[in-house]
């Protein structure tokens, strides 16, 4: 133990010393970046502060800071950066090159030492009230719902479910109280006008954004890297509204005034998606052309030794620890994704008149759990009407179009995607396409399990339902993600996770040097318009979709 402590101290000290000395590429980028953004600086910014989160990924930090520079210029604000004290000297120098007169708050500096001690007592008071894992979801502090964040962040530690109240739960509740002290102090000291966050979930971003919204401080949720996705949040009542989901007035406009256009665009997009011409990690994994494509029920049933006379139902599994509760306002029917899976499997085992395919999420490799191994769990499957399809199975997901009679999921995009070809979907929780009248949305466990028992009697979707599915699908998967961000290079999924800061800085310099200055200026103007227009709440590429202009602005 003593050797480990000494090694840790030496490693952290070495990292600190390295961060104190600017590296060559860091210096080059800082000078280049400061020169570029100097044309958009308000040197006398006095309208207040813009709070900007920090993330560990350098791409997110760059995108946050560059967008924040545009917001500061538009509103006459100063950036207020959240930083970690011991490791962020280099990051601070980089951030200072974006917008004028920055202010920094070190979230693990000495100012918050006493609150960290106080948080121990506060966390214990909450912890001691919990009797079972379901109680976690009822946690509320200062009148704000936080149970979803606590539960999900225990799972993030590498678990599919929570079976007991233990030290992991206490640690997350403690972290919640620490962040509560930090964000309340920041609000009281600086009274930020607005904020930029890449996430509205998680132990830091989820907690900070909810306190900001409680106090009426706008949250600009900026998602993406080489494409920019923006959603404005202004009150606690909006927490849980998925950023890609069309707001009701937008969906109504598309249904009533642009349905034919949207359906045509959706059909073209689906062709691109299913032929893997979309640059997205889940698409690349799900529709891998090297994997087998089944074009008939008979072929599929023969291969998997299933009864071709019975209907085929796909249960689309989730990454078990991929935040089952935090994305949406309405509580899911079950305790978590694993509980839903286990209960659904139990019903499937008793319903032998249906072929049940439990399909692992294509990106499950990014959501490893210590307590559940699906391959091992299904290895002893003795039910001839149930099959498990792992993420590496020789199966092109386009096959579902040709063989499935129904889709079951909690919130997966598959339910929306295959609804576009008339396949009905049964949900076990709120999803990005809830409320659009094409998915079956039970309000209780009993109702959900009743649908499972009669799943083979669910009819195909009608023409109007298919139209609604296509509109929702295209808005969320294509339209909201079709705004290239000219200030960030394009990287693949693996590059995003492994990219070193020096490589990013070099790439950003090269990108901006190659860009047409008029195009950069134009995007800054468009983003400024979005920031300043109170009616404009979800950012779209209006150059490409001009027919959406009236809907987005509330005209």
């Amino acid at each position: 133990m003593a050797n480990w402590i000494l090694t840790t101290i030496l490693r952290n000290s070495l990292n600190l010393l390295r961060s104190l000395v600017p590296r060559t590429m860091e210096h080059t980028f800082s000078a280049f970046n400061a020169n570029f953004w100097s044309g958009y600086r308000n040197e006398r910014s006095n309208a207040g502060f813009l709070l900007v989160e920090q993330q560990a990924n350098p791409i997110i930090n760059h995108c946050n800071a560059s967008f924040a520079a545009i917001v500061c210029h538009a509103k006459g604000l100063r950036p207020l950066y959240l930083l970690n004290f011991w490791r962020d000297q280099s990051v601070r120098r980089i951030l200072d090159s974006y917008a004028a007169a920055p202010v920094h708050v070190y979230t693990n500096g000495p100012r918050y030492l006493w609150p960290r001690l106080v948080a121990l007592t506060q966390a214990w008071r909450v912890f001691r009230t919990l009797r079972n894992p379901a109680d976690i979801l009822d946690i509320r502090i200062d009148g704000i719902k936080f149970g979803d964040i606590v539960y999900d962040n225990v799972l993030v530690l590498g678990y599919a479910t929570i079976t007991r109240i233990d030290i992991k739960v206490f640690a997350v509740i403690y972290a919640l109280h620490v962040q509560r002290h930090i964000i309340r102090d920041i609000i009281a000291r600086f009274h930020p006008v607005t904020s930029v966050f890449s996430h509205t979930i998680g132990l830091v971003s989820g907690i900070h954004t909810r306190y900001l919204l409680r106090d009426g401080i706008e949250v600009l949720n900026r998602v993406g890297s080489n494409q920019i996705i923006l959603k404005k949040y202004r009150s606690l009542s909006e927490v849980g509204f998925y950023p890609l989901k069309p707001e009701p007035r937008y969906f109504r406009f598309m249904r009533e005034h642009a349905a034919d256009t949207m359906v045509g665009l959706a059909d073209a997009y689906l062709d691109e998606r299913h032929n893997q011409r979309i640059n997205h990690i889940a698409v690349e994994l799900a529709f891998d052309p090297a994997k087998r494509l089944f074009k008939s029920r008979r072929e599929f049933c023969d291969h998997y030794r299933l009864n071709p006379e019975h209907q085929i139902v796909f249960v689309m599994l989730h990454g078990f620890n991929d935040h089952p509760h935090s994305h949406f306002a309405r509580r899911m029917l079950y305790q978590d994704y694993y509980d839903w899976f286990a209960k659904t499997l139990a019903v499937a085992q008793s319903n032998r008149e249906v072929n049940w395919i439990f399909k692992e999420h294509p990106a499950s490799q990014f959501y490893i759990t210590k307590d559940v191994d699906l391959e091992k769990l299904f290895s002893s499957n003795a039910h001839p009407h149930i099959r498990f399809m792992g993420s590496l199975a020789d199966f092109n997901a386009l096959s579902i179009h040709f063989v499935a009679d129904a889709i079951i999921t909690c919130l997966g995009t598959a339910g929306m995607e295959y609804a576009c070809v008339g396949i009905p979907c049964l949900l076990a929780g709120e999803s990005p396409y809830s409320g659009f009248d094409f998915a079956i949305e039970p309000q209780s466990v009993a109702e959900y399990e009743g649908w499972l028992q009669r799943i083979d009697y669910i009819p195909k979707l009608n023409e109007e339902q298919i139209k609604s599915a296509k509109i929702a699908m295209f808005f969320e998967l294509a339209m909201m993600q079709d705004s290239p961000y000219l200030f960030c290079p394009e990287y693949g999924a693996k590059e995003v996770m492994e990219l070193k800061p020096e490589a990013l800085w070099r790439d950003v310099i090269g990108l901006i040097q190659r860009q047409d200055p008029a195009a950069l200026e134009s995007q800054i103007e468009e983003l400024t318009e979005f920031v300043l227009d109170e009616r404009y709440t979800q950012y779209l590429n209006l150059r490409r979709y001009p027919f959406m202009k009236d809907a987005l602005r509330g005209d």
Side-chain angles (χ1 to χ4, degrees), residues 296-332:
S296 74
R297 295 169 59 88
R298 173 65 67 177
E299 178 191 9
F300 180 80
C301 289
D302 286 349
H303 181 78
Y304 285 99
R305 302 188 304 280
L306 296 166
N307 186 339
E309 301 302 317
H310 292 170
Q311 295 211 348
I312 301 171
V313 174
F314 278 78
V315 182
M316 310 299 281
L317 302 180
H318 303 275
F320 287 131
N321 53 5
D322 185 18
H323 298 87
H325 302 287
S326 304
H327 286 292
F328 299 98
R330 192 172 76 231
R331 186 179 295 190
M332 63 185 297

Side-chain angles (χ1 to χ4, degrees), residues 26-64:
E26 175 191 323
H27 178 78
T28 301
F29 175 78
S30 296
F32 174 87
N33 203 47
N35 181 65
F36 176 83
W37 289 107
S38 63
Y40 304 98
R41 290 188 172 194
N42 281 324
E43 298 295 343
R44 298 181 180 179
S45 300
N46 57 11
F49 291 99
L50 165 69
L51 181 64
V52 186
E53 67 156 1
Q54 182 192 359
Q55 291 283 340
N57 188 288
I59 299 175
I60 296 178
N61 285 336
H62 165 67
C63 292
N64 279 351

